[in-house]
Amino acid sequence: MNCLFCRIIAGEIPSSKVYEDEYVLAFRDIDPQAPTHILIIPKTHYDSVMDAPPEVVGRLTETAKKLAVSEGLAEKGFRIVVNTGDEGGQSVKHLHMHLLGGRSMQWPPG
Ligand code: AMP
């Protein structure tokens, strides 16, 4: 298995887990870009959002919303990001949603 996030799901690589259920794993980003920076991934491998069915994307979004509440981000606001493909800045080719919060976000993103 050469997918980094599949190896995290399998427990071969440690992660700072914040949530897990039958379908989804969420863990803290190793290189946080905000005070709270969590990655939410499906346990089934999809290279990107382009390959994933709507229910999978919905589960990631619903998990991000729950974590925004439990991490204390919901009131002030937060950002969810799904980098896709090379020009989208996707470095890990396993679908993942970034949940970022705890500071004011800039727009446009770089
Ligand atoms: P992206 O650039 O959108 O593909 O996001 C990949 C994210 O994975 C980056 O924010 C990395 O910091 C993060 N990352 C890479 N390796 C690990 C790891 N072992 N544990 C947690 N986060 C990681």
Side-chain angles (χ1 to χ4, degrees), residues 4-5 8 13-16 27-33 37 39 81-84 88-94 96 98:
L4 172 65
F5 287 174
I8 286 177
I13 294 174
S15 69
S16 177
F27 51 97
R28 299 200 187 274
D29 197 291
I30 205 167
D31 182 21
Q33 301 301 309
H37 187 172
L39 299 174
V81 174
V82 181
N83 294 327
T84 304
Q90 184 182 4
S91 62
V92 178
K93 302 301 194 250
H94 180 126
H96 50 283
H98 297 256

Side-chain angles (χ1 to χ4, degrees), residues 21-101:
D21 65 24
E22 189 181 349
Y23 302 107
V24 167
L25 177 68
F27 51 97
R28 299 200 187 274
D29 197 291
I30 205 167
D31 182 21
Q33 301 301 309
T36 300
H37 187 172
I38 293 170
L39 299 174
I40 303 149
I41 67 174
K43 289 189 171 176
T44 301
H45 181 97
Y46 301 95
D47 283 354
S48 83
V49 73
M50 297 302 286
D51 305 317
E55 63 271 21
V56 169
V57 181
R59 278 188 201 111
L60 299 184
T61 306
E62 289 305 309
T63 303
K65 287 161 59 179
K66 274 188 224 160
L67 289 172
V69 172
S70 64
E71 295 282 322
L73 305 176
E75 196 172 319
K76 284 192 171 175
F78 57 89
R79 183 170 289 176
I80 56 178
V81 174
V82 181
N83 294 327
T84 304
D86 292 337
E87 288 205 358
Q90 184 182 4
S91 62
V92 178
K93 302 301 194 250
H94 180 126
L95 168 61
H96 50 283
M97 182 172 281
H98 297 256
L99 171 64
L100 297 141

